[in-house]
Amino acid sequence: MKHILYSAFMAVVMLVFAACTNDEIEILSTSKVDVVVPTAELYSNLGPTAYVNFLGNNNTYSVGVKLLVYNENGELVKEDIQTSRTLTDIDIELNTLPEGKYNVVALQTMIDASDQLEADDLSEYWTLVNKGKLSTLRVDTKADKIFWYGTLGVANGTLTVTDRDSRVRLTPSPVGFLMDLDYENMASTDYVELGFFFHNAADGLYLDPSRTGSDKIYYDNYNGTNTWSPVSYFYNNSGLADKDGQTVFLIGQGESQVCFGVADATQFSNHKFSMFPTNGMRYTFEWGKYYQAFAIYNAQTRNFDYFLGNHNDFDAWYQQYTTAHTSYFAQPTTNWGTTVYNVKSFMNGYTMGNANGALIEKEDGSYVLWYKGKYKEEETDYYFSSSTGGLYRAYVFVKKNVISEENLATYIKNLGYTYAGKTNDGKAYVFESADQNTCVQFGENDEGVWYVCFFDVNNSLNKAPSAASIKRMSAKH
């Protein structure tokens, strides 16, 4: 009986030994491996004070660092996340890893403790995709607009686990750039949306360190002809404020096709917009930089002027622009022959001087529609050949203490008119449009006010105005 039991015991031992001899034996290290992530470095070129203040003013937010560890086969073997309420070094301890070499990925961003996040979400703005393999690991955006505090940093590194304690330092760097989008002078328009658009907006980033350049960018179903996507925008269904601004974080890289865009209520409801400049523009963005996009409605040209460039270069540009583009008055419409209704639509945003909107009939048979000043002008008057339309002349009146004679001449040139000389009496300046259908004459009337007269050169109703006959409607009514 003992012999039988002994034989059975030896059989079990042999089976166990045979089963183990064909398996790879993993030696679990008893050493300590520390991964140190300095969180302040990510924001060093992006205005660190703003991030420090953000944490101080928002108690539910903290800096979060997600660590992913992959073995030599590129398989995820360990992950951890640590947070801090200050921009300090975050220390993540890795224990019980088998001896060997590993790839490590660290991701850093702001985390709101009040958010209801899914298992692989990093924050309200970012989520991990296909994290099981380093070759497929990706971080995707969760929102179409990422505010500046959602800045994302990534660091890749390697570590070797031995029987000795080790310490590895990983410093995340930005995988995108900051951009301020600001606009001004929109109160007089009918637009409900203004945005900055990418024709090829990135949806995520591959985190495998073997990928470089544009190969790191992930596009969701992009086929080269997709419509434009807003990456920063403002919307108000009752009309945009006069000015506004916001700062966003974007992950595009390299040369990109971009544009500004605006939409009125009809365009917005039809998912359309008007872009400027026409057909967009190409601009090269670099990670870790800070850019400025700025759009301003130009009342003189009834179009948009814009700036896109380094954030540090904007103040000088803006000062130069405002000096050169002070709005003394907006150019009246020169759509000669048009209707009263169309002029009223064109002047939307101005205060009408006519009582109850009724035209004033003059002794010579003309009809006048006039508006109170909106910028630095006193008023704008439109002359029609009938009570329903036939626009043939427009006046703008500006007080002499507002602008000098020389500057007014320059201002008219900047509206796109060419100086043609002076009137026969030498008291007024004359300018012509490029198509020679519009003539502009300005001088001083008998009230001591500058008058700027725009008139249709092809309309027989127009004759050279005299200073004595040019009066402001507000002075008569």
Side-chain angles (χ1 to χ4, degrees):
M1 184 69 177
K2 290 181 180 179
H3 176 74
I4 294 173
L5 289 174
Y6 174 78
S7 299
F9 173 75
M10 289 303 295
V12 170
V13 171
M14 291 299 292
L15 284 171
V16 172
F17 179 78
C20 292
T21 54
N22 293 326
D23 291 340
E24 180 179 350
I25 300 175
E26 292 186 331
I27 303 174
L28 295 179
S29 172
T30 58
S31 62
K32 184 175 73 170
V33 179
D34 284 334
V35 178
V36 180
V37 180
T39 60
E41 294 296 321
L42 175 62
Y43 311 115
S44 60
N45 293 326
L46 302 176
T49 303
Y51 293 90
V52 172
N53 292 340
F54 180 82
L55 287 172
N57 296 328
N58 296 273
N59 294 331
T60 61
Y61 279 85
S62 59
V63 179
V65 173
K66 176 79 170 182
L67 197 68
L68 303 170
V69 183
Y70 294 84
N71 63 21
E72 290 184 277
N73 295 323
E75 300 164 335
L76 180 66
V77 294
K78 196 173 187 65
E79 60 182 306
D80 197 359
I81 187 167
Q82 298 290 334
T83 61
S84 173
R85 284 278 299 140
T86 61
L87 297 183
T88 186
D89 289 0
I90 289 182
D91 195 331
I92 301 177
E93 186 175 312
L94 300 176
N95 294 321
T96 66
L97 280 174
E99 293 185 4
K101 294 183 178 179
Y102 297 88
N103 282 294
V104 185
V105 181
L107 301 100
Q108 176 185 331
T109 192
M110 296 279 189
I111 299 175
D112 186 353
S114 64
D115 282 339
Q116 300 297 315
L117 302 178
E118 300 294 330
D120 289 327
D121 288 346
L122 297 177
S123 71
E124 60 191 294
Y125 293 126
W126 306 102
T127 189
L128 292 174
V129 179
N130 301 327
K131 70 178 183 181
K133 296 282 290 185
L134 181 58
S135 60
T136 59
L137 175 63
R138 205 174 69 229
V139 59
D140 284 0
T141 59
K142 293 176 58 184
D144 57 4
K145 180 165 59 175
I146 300 170
F147 287 106
W148 61 275
Y149 56 84
T151 296
L152 178 68
V154 175
N156 292 91
T158 59
L159 63 87
T160 301
V161 177
T162 65
D163 58 353
R164 295 184 179 182
D165 291 352
S166 59
R167 190 175 180 86
V168 177
R169 190 176 181 88
L170 288 177
T171 305
S173 57
V175 289
F177 55 89
L178 289 183
M179 186 182 76
D180 281 355
L181 175 63
D182 299 273
Y183 72 81
E184 288 185 8
N185 204 25
M186 292 290 287
S188 61
T189 73
D190 293 327
Y191 297 117
V192 298
E193 181 188 39
L194 180 143
F196 189 80
F197 293 73
F198 270 68
H199 188 254
N200 189 0
D203 296 293
L205 297 168
Y206 291 100
L207 301 179
D208 184 345
S210 66
R211 290 177 177 262
T212 59
S214 60
D215 191 40
K216 296 180 72 70
I217 309 297
Y218 167 71
Y219 302 99
D220 185 16
N221 297 322
Y222 182 75
N223 60 16
T225 59
N226 289 19
T227 56
W228 294 79
S229 300
V231 294
S232 181
Y233 56 88
F234 303 89
Y235 172 75
N236 188 320
N237 60 7
S238 61
L240 293 171
D242 188 56
K243 59 183 178 180
D244 207 343
Q246 61 186 217
T247 306
V248 294
F249 181 79
L250 303 172
I251 58 176
Q253 186 183 39
E255 187 179 80
S256 303
Q257 189 175 6
V258 298
C259 74
F260 294 87
V262 290
D264 59 25
T266 301
Q267 288 176 305
F268 185 82
S269 64
N270 292 321
H271 307 288
K272 297 182 181 298
F273 69 95
S274 300
M275 71 166 60
F276 60 94
T278 304
N279 299 322
M281 55 186 159
R282 304 200 72 84
Y283 193 86
T284 299
F285 297 95
E286 297 179 40
W287 285 354
K289 298 296 178 99
Y290 196 167
Y291 297 95
Q292 174 73 57
F294 174 78
I296 183 168
Y297 182 69
N298 188 327
Q300 301 173 34
T301 62
R302 295 185 181 266
N303 210 331
F304 286 91
D305 298 320
Y306 63 89
F307 173 91
L308 177 62
N310 189 290
H311 189 268
N312 292 333
D313 297 333
F314 175 67
D315 285 346
W317 178 92
Y318 183 77
Q319 183 177 2
Q320 183 179 11
Y321 177 87
T322 52
T323 300
H325 292 81
T326 301
S327 294
Y328 292 100
F329 59 86
Q331 175 172 303
T333 180
T334 55
N335 182 18
W336 306 123
T338 193
T339 64
V340 172
Y341 175 84
N342 287 340
V343 171
K344 287 182 177 180
S345 297
F346 182 85
M347 296 297 286
N348 183 44
Y350 285 74
T351 301
M352 189 179 294
N354 300 59
N356 301 319
L359 273 70
I360 300 169
E361 185 175 3
K362 301 192 71 177
E363 293 179 358
D364 62 1
S366 62
Y367 293 82
V368 182
L369 185 67
W370 72 281
Y371 291 85
K372 297 178 181 179
K374 181 177 180 180
Y375 299 97
K376 297 181 182 298
E377 78 277 28
E378 288 290 290
E379 67 178 72
T380 301
D381 303 346
Y382 289 96
Y383 282 69
F384 302 87
S385 59
S386 75
S387 61
T388 58
L391 177 68
Y392 66 91
R393 182 183 295 182
Y395 285 104
V396 177
F397 295 93
V398 186
K399 286 186 175 179
K400 290 185 66 178
N401 62 354
V402 170
I403 185 172
S404 68
E405 184 176 26
E406 181 181 359
N407 288 343
L408 183 51
T410 300
Y411 192 75
I412 294 171
K413 288 179 183 177
N414 290 338
L415 292 177
Y417 295 92
T418 302
Y419 177 63
K422 283 194 169 185
T423 55
N424 293 333
D425 60 9
K427 294 182 179 180
Y429 294 83
V430 179
F431 299 81
E432 293 179 343
S433 62
D435 60 10
Q436 297 186 332
N437 289 325
T438 300
C439 189
V440 182
Q441 178 178 318
F442 96 82
E444 181 183 353
N445 70 1
D446 286 354
E447 299 171 314
V449 175
W450 293 127
Y451 72 87
V452 185
C453 178
F454 298 78
F455 61 92
D456 180 5
V457 299
N458 299 311
N459 193 311
S460 59
L461 292 175
N462 281 310
K463 56 184 178 180
S466 66
S469 64
I470 303 172
K471 304 287 186 181
R472 292 171 295 160
M473 296 302 297
S474 58
K476 303 174 185 178
H477 298 272

